């Protein structure tokens, strides 16, 4: 399936009342609970970035803990639904974009990217996206990554999933914690990991060891 076809499919699926059962599924609720726990574990979030908001189920949970939150999604319907769901907050900025096209001079102390990167065409594009995300992360900032496992992603027709991306993130960031969420079906199996970007001095010290 071509990338544009995948995005068109997402647009159609977002027309449902509860797409992907993000509100109704115990597995999805637990996934969001763990993502939020990891997101707020380091204290106040001054400037956060959520990559891929779907219908806003997690955005609604994250927003109260951020002084400022930027949300991007490649699907206009996703931005529309998520912004309507969180309209009581004025500190959220919305952008229709994919991670490959998104550009900003801002640095974020928290970046959340979950169930997104496997939609890219191949592992090379995933690596490029990861490099961009790491570049937008402030020193000592945290990145929360979540994804279905490699095996499920490949079965669904994607290039790779959680294990592949986590290995790439570990090349430049420090993994703080990893959580597995598993539901009742084979499709409900994901990994969530929290990473920290060390200060440059820490990176240089590690290289000298």
């Amino acid at each position: 399936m071509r990338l544009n076809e995948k995005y068109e499919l997402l647009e159609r699926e977002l027309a449902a009342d509860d797409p992907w059962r993000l509100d109704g599924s115990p597995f999805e609720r637990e996934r969001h609970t763990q993502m939020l726990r990891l997101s707020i574990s380091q204290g106040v979030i001054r400037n956060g970035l959520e990559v891929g908001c779907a219908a806003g189920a997690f955005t609604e949970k994250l927003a109260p803990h951020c002084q400022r939150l930027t949300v991007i999604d490649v699907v206009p319907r996703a931005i529309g639904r998520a912004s309507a769901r969180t309209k009581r907050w004025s500190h959220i900025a919305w952008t229709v974009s994919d991670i490959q096209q998104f550009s900003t001079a801002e640095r974020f102390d928290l970046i959340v990217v979950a169930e997104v990167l496997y939609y890219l065409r191949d592992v090379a594009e995933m690596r490029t996206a990861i490099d961009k995300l790491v570049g937008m992360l402030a020193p000592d900032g945290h990145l929360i990554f979540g994804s279905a496992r490699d095996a499920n992603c490949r079965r669904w027709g994607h290039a790779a999933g959680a294990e592949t991306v986590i290995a790439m993130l570990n090349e430049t960031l420090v993994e703080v914690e990893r959580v597995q969420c598993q539901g009742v079906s084979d499709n409900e199996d994901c990994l969530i990991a929290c990473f920290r970007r060390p200060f440059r001095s820490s990176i240089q010290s590690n290289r000298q060891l």
Side-chain angles (χ1 to χ4, degrees):
M1 186 182 295
R2 298 195 312 273
L3 193 60
N4 286 343
E5 292 176 342
K6 291 178 181 178
Y7 292 161
E8 289 168 3
L9 177 60
L10 291 174
E11 180 82 25
R12 293 195 297 271
E13 290 176 335
L14 275 161
D17 289 339
D18 183 11
W20 310 293
R21 298 182 65 224
L22 296 178
D23 290 303
S25 164
F27 167 76
E28 296 294 350
R29 290 199 299 269
E30 174 62 16
R31 187 171 68 85
H32 284 171
T33 295
Q34 293 298 333
M35 286 168 53
L36 183 63
R37 179 182 67 81
L38 293 172
S39 295
I40 65 177
S41 62
Q42 307 304 316
V44 175
I45 302 165
R46 294 179 297 277
N47 194 16
L49 171 67
E50 182 185 14
V51 180
C53 60
F58 183 70
T59 314
E60 187 176 34
K61 295 177 175 66
L62 180 63
H65 302 280
C66 299
Q67 294 177 355
R68 174 176 167 77
L69 178 62
T70 299
V71 180
I72 71 169
D73 198 292
V74 71
V75 182
R77 189 191 294 268
I79 293 292
R81 290 194 60 169
S83 60
R85 182 167 181 162
T86 58
K87 61 184 178 182
R88 59 189 178 278
W89 292 297
S90 60
H91 65 289
I92 307 175
W94 306 91
T95 301
V96 177
S97 176
D98 64 22
I99 187 57
Q100 295 167 298
Q101 298 171 336
F102 181 67
S103 178
T104 179
E106 290 187 80
R107 292 297 175 263
F108 302 95
D109 55 316
L110 175 72
I111 296 176
V112 179
V113 53
E115 308 300 327
V116 170
L117 296 184
Y118 54 65
Y119 285 106
L120 298 176
R121 290 186 181 89
D122 52 37
V123 172
E125 288 197 356
M126 291 179 176
R127 182 175 290 279
T128 299
I130 288 168
D131 289 344
K132 175 174 279 192
L133 289 168
V134 170
M136 292 189 292
L137 192 62
D140 213 34
H142 288 77
L143 185 149
I144 311 300
F145 169 75
S147 173
R149 290 176 174 270
D150 278 350
N152 271 344
C153 287
R154 288 169 180 149
R155 182 164 55 84
W156 299 336
H158 303 304
E163 294 92 337
T164 296
V165 174
I166 287 173
M168 288 191 283
L169 286 166
N170 268 308
E171 293 173 6
T172 52
L173 303 178
V174 176
E175 185 172 344
V176 177
E177 185 177 349
R178 188 184 304 190
V179 178
Q180 178 181 357
C181 289
Q182 192 164 13
V184 296
S185 77
D186 291 340
N187 288 333
E188 296 178 333
D189 188 4
C190 77
L191 295 177
I192 302 167
C194 175
F195 296 86
R196 179 178 63 86
R197 180 175 182 176
F199 286 104
R200 183 175 297 276
S201 58
S202 300
I203 297 174
Q204 291 173 340
S205 297
N206 289 337
R207 286 175 178 171
Q208 292 170 358
L209 294 177

